[in-house]
Amino acid sequence: MADPITILQDRFRAALTAAFGQDHADTDPILRPAQNTQFGDYQSNVAMSLAKTLGKKPRDVADEIVKHLEWQNVCSEIPGVAGPGFINLKLDSAFLNEQLAPLVGDTRLGVTKTHTPDTVVVDYSGPNVAKEMHVGHLRSTIIGDCIARVLVFAGDTVIRQNHLGDWGTQFGMLIEHLIEIGRNTQGAHVKDLNVFYQDAKKRFDSDKDFADRARKRVVALQGGDKETLSYWHTLIDESKRHFNEVYQRLGVQLTDSDIRAESSYNDKLPGVVADLEKAGVLKVSQGASCVFPEGFKDPDGNPLPMIVRKSDGGYLYATTDLAAARYRIDELHATRIVYVIDSRQSDHLAMVFATLRAVGWSRDGVKLEHVAFGTVLGPDRKPFKTREGGTVKLIDLVNEAEARALKEIESRNADLPTQEKKNIAHTVGIGALKYADLSNDRIKDYVFDWDRMLAFDGNTAPYLQYSYTRIKSIFRKAPPPPPPEGVTNSSAILIVQPAERALAIKLLQLPGVIQSVAESLEPHRLCTYLYELAAAYHKFYETCPVLSAPDVATRSSRLALCDLCARTIAKGLELLGIGVVEQM
Ligand code: ARG
C-alpha cells in the first residue's frame, strides 16, 4: 500500500540502516499521525526507543536519523527534531497531490489487497436453538460481521461459521414440552422462544414425571429415534426463522449456509477423545476424561481440567470446539481462526487452543485468536436488563432503534414521504445501534444509551451519516454538468489551504487503518478514523468554499476532495455494516 506512511516507513528503515547498520533494517520507525499538526503531519518516536539499545542520547539519535533520511519529495522541509527526540515531518503538497491522484477514480480508495492472504474462519453470532437471541449475542453478531467485511476487503478468503448451539441435555425437556403443547400449535408457542424455554424449564423443575420423560427423551435423541429427531428439527427450523429475521433486520451477512451447528460434529466426538488418548494427553479423573492443558491452574493452584467426556459418556462444549477446530483446519484449510465470543469464555478458548497446539492439530502457522468483548451495561452500570429485570431481546432493540430514529427524522424532515422516512429511520436506527457497539474498545464493557447513540453530533453513526448527506448536498446544488460526472477520474486535486492538507492526509490514511483493523480485529479503530475524517471535512468546508471557489481549477479540486471524502465515509460505514442515506 503506497500511502504516505508506508513510503515514510521505507525511507526511515533505509535511514536507520544507513545510520546504525543492517541490524536496524527491520526496526519499526514508530510513525504516527501528529496530534498537534502545528509542527508536522507525522511524528516518529523511534529515536527514544532506540537510544537505550544504542547507548546514545535520544536527540543525537534523532539528528543522526534525519541526516540519513531521504525526506526530499515527500516532506516540504527538513524534518525537525523536538523535545526529547521527536522527529516531526511535514508532507509536501506536491507529494500529497500525487498520492491523491490515483484515488479519484478508485473504488478501493487506495486500499490494495494483501499479498499474503489468509483463509480466515470467522466464528460469530452462535445463538442457541430454542432461545431468543439476547443482547449478549448482539455484540458477537455485530463485531463478527464487521470483522468479516473488513477481512474480505483487505483481500483474505473469509469463511463465516455460525456455531449454532443445537445440542445438549436441555433438548430432552424442550422436545418433551413441544410434544405436550402439540406440534401443530407450535407456531404460536415457539414464536416466543423465551416463553417456550421458560415454560419447559418450569415443568422440568416442578413435575417429576415430566423430568423423567425428558431424560428418556435425551437418550432417544442421542440414539437417533426418528420421531424425536423430527421434533428436534422443528425446534431448529423455528429458531432459524427467528435468527434469520434478526440478521436480516440488522443487515448481517450470515445465511443458512454459514451454519455449522454443534450437532454436526457429533459423529466426530468419539474420534476426538480417542485421538487425545493416543496423543497421551487424556487423564481420567473421577470417571470423567479430561485434558490438563499446561499452564492452567484452579484458584488453589491445582492443574485445571478441561473435561471432554463425562463419566456417563456424554460429550461437552469443549469436545465440540476441538472437533470444530480440526474441521476448520483440515477441511476448510483455515490459516487463521477468529472466535468472536464474550470475554467470559476466555479460559475455555485458551484451553482449547492450548490443547490443539499440544497435540499438533493446529498446524504450524495457523493463527488462533479469541476476539473477546465485554458486557453491555444498563444505565445502572449493571448488565443490561429490561425494566422488569428480564433479558433484553435483540429484536426489541432493533424495533426501538428504528422507532426512535423515526421520531428524530420526523422532527427534522417532516415533509418527506412516509415510506422514505421509514427507510431512513431503518438505516439510521440500525446504524446507531451497531456503531455504539463497534466504536467502543471491544474488550471493555459499555453502557447502552439510546440518546447518545442516536445523537447527530459526536462519535456516532448518525453524525457520520449526516456528514455524508451534507457532502452529497453540495453535488445536488452544483450547476451542470452535474457531478458525479462533474468529478471525473482525471479531476486533479490541488492541495493549497491547511484545511485541505489536513483532509487530504486523513483521506490517505485509510489503507493503514484497514490494515490495522485486519491485524488487531478492533473495529473501533475504523470508527475513530471515520470520526476524525468527518471532523477534518467539516473544518475544510468551513474554511474552503467549494461551489463558490475563486477559480475553476480550485472548484474542481475541492469537488473531487468532497467526492473522495463522501466515498470514504460510505465505504468505511459499509465495512462496519452500516448504510448511508442521501438525506436525513
Ligand atoms: N452458543 C455459544 C453461546 O451462546 C457461542 C458459540 C461460540 N462459538 C464457539 N465455537 N464456541 O455461548
Side-chain angles (χ1 to χ4, degrees), residues 123-129 131 134 137 140 161-166 262 317 320-321 324 328 339-342 345 348-349:
D123 176 329
Y124 70 106
S125 198
N128 300 312
V129 165
K131 277 193 190 162
H134 58 76
H137 291 114
S140 175
Q161 292 280 280
N162 193 351
H163 195 80
L164 214 65
D166 69 341
E262 289 187 18
Y317 187 52
T320 305
D321 259 326
R328 293 165 182 182
Y339 294 79
V340 189
I341 315 181
D342 197 318
Q345 292 190 28
H348 161 72
L349 276 183

Side-chain angles (χ1 to χ4, degrees), residues 86-350:
F86 297 114
I87 302 173
N88 291 317
L89 305 130
K90 223 179 178 97
L91 297 182
D92 179 47
S93 297
F95 169 76
L96 287 176
N97 294 339
E98 210 176 282
Q99 295 294 309
L100 286 166
L103 301 194
V104 174
D106 180 10
T107 52
R108 292 189 55 90
L109 300 154
V111 181
T112 50
K113 293 195 175 176
T114 169
H115 299 301
T116 50
D118 270 308
T119 298
V120 194
V121 163
V122 185
D123 176 329
Y124 70 106
S125 198
N128 300 312
V129 165
K131 277 193 190 162
E132 193 98 27
M133 283 178 91
H134 58 76
V135 61
H137 291 114
L138 175 76
R139 301 212 70 188
S140 175
T141 305
I142 289 176
I143 297 169
D145 205 53
C146 167
I147 286 173
R149 287 165 187 260
V150 170
L151 294 178
V152 168
F153 187 56
D156 289 317
T157 301
V158 172
I159 305 173
R160 295 172 176 78
Q161 292 280 280
N162 193 351
H163 195 80
L164 214 65
D166 69 341
W167 199 252
T169 47
Q170 74 276 24
F171 280 92
M173 119 195 148
L174 294 169
I175 291 169
E176 208 48 40
H177 183 56
L178 181 63
I179 291 171
E180 247 156 72
I181 62 174
R183 178 165 21 192
N184 296 334
T185 57
Q186 114 296 106
H189 288 85
V190 185
K191 207 172 77 195
D192 194 330
L193 292 171
N194 279 357
V195 172
F196 177 82
Y197 196 97
Q198 280 156 15
D199 286 352
K201 181 90 176 76
K202 251 184 250 154
R203 259 332 270 289
F204 186 83
D205 291 339
S206 63
D207 181 341
K208 237 181 119 302
D209 287 345
F210 178 86
D212 277 343
R213 285 202 300 282
R215 280 190 203 98
K216 287 204 189 93
R217 197 50 79 174
V218 179
V219 179
L221 180 65
Q222 286 166 342
D225 172 62
K226 264 218 173 94
E227 195 208 356
T228 307
L229 282 177
S230 109
Y231 282 108
W232 177 62
H233 280 298
T234 301
L235 286 176
I236 294 178
D237 291 344
E238 278 293 309
S239 305
K240 278 208 256 184
R241 271 228 313 264
H242 163 68
F243 301 148
N244 282 332
E245 186 196 338
V246 173
Y247 296 152
Q248 194 245 327
R249 294 278 301 278
L250 280 174
V252 163
Q253 292 178 326
L254 284 169
T255 64
D256 279 356
S257 61
D258 302 314
I259 293 179
R260 181 87 194 173
E262 289 187 18
S263 66
S264 69
Y265 299 105
N266 281 353
D267 59 344
K268 300 278 187 254
L269 304 181
V272 166
V273 176
D275 289 348
L276 289 172
E277 175 137 50
K278 258 187 240 152
V281 298
L282 206 68
K283 290 200 179 82
V284 177
S285 164
Q286 295 168 10
S289 306
C290 312
V291 181
F292 290 89
E294 222 176 281
F296 294 89
K297 300 255 183 314
D298 70 11
D300 299 330
N302 303 312
L304 200 62
M306 180 172 79
I307 307 178
V308 291
R309 189 174 53 202
K310 292 187 284 186
S311 53
D312 67 4
Y315 298 100
L316 292 109
Y317 187 52
T319 330
T320 305
D321 259 326
L322 288 171
R326 270 176 125 183
Y327 165 74
R328 293 165 182 182
I329 296 168
D330 295 342
E331 287 174 53
L332 299 178
H333 307 291
T335 54
R336 184 181 192 189
I337 311 179
V338 301
Y339 294 79
V340 189
I341 315 181
D342 197 318
S343 60
R344 281 171 294 195
Q345 292 190 28
S346 289
D347 285 348
H348 161 72
L349 276 183

Side-chain angles (χ1 to χ4, degrees), residues 436-480:
D437 199 288
L438 294 167
S439 57
N440 284 289
D441 187 351
R442 61 174 159 74
I443 200 67
K444 295 192 186 139
D445 299 344
Y446 76 91
V447 175
F448 195 91
D449 181 340
W450 285 117
D451 291 335
R452 196 160 36 159
M453 71 176 78
L454 280 157
F456 275 51
D457 48 20
N459 189 11
T460 66
Y463 170 69
L464 294 173
Q465 289 167 324
Y466 184 62
S467 304
Y468 176 85
T469 63
R470 288 273 302 271
I471 306 175
K472 292 303 257 190
S473 78
I474 296 179
F475 289 91
R476 279 196 292 274
K477 275 184 231 147

Side-chain angles (χ1 to χ4, degrees), residues 104 475 483 486-488 490-494 500 540 545-547 549-563:
V104 174
F475 289 91
V487 178
T488 65
S490 57
S491 289
I493 296 181
L494 305 162
E500 289 174 317
F540 155 81
V546 177
L547 293 178
D551 55 78
V552 176
T554 308
R555 182 175 181 276
S556 129
S557 161
R558 288 180 183 169
L559 277 170
L561 263 182
C562 290
D563 175 67

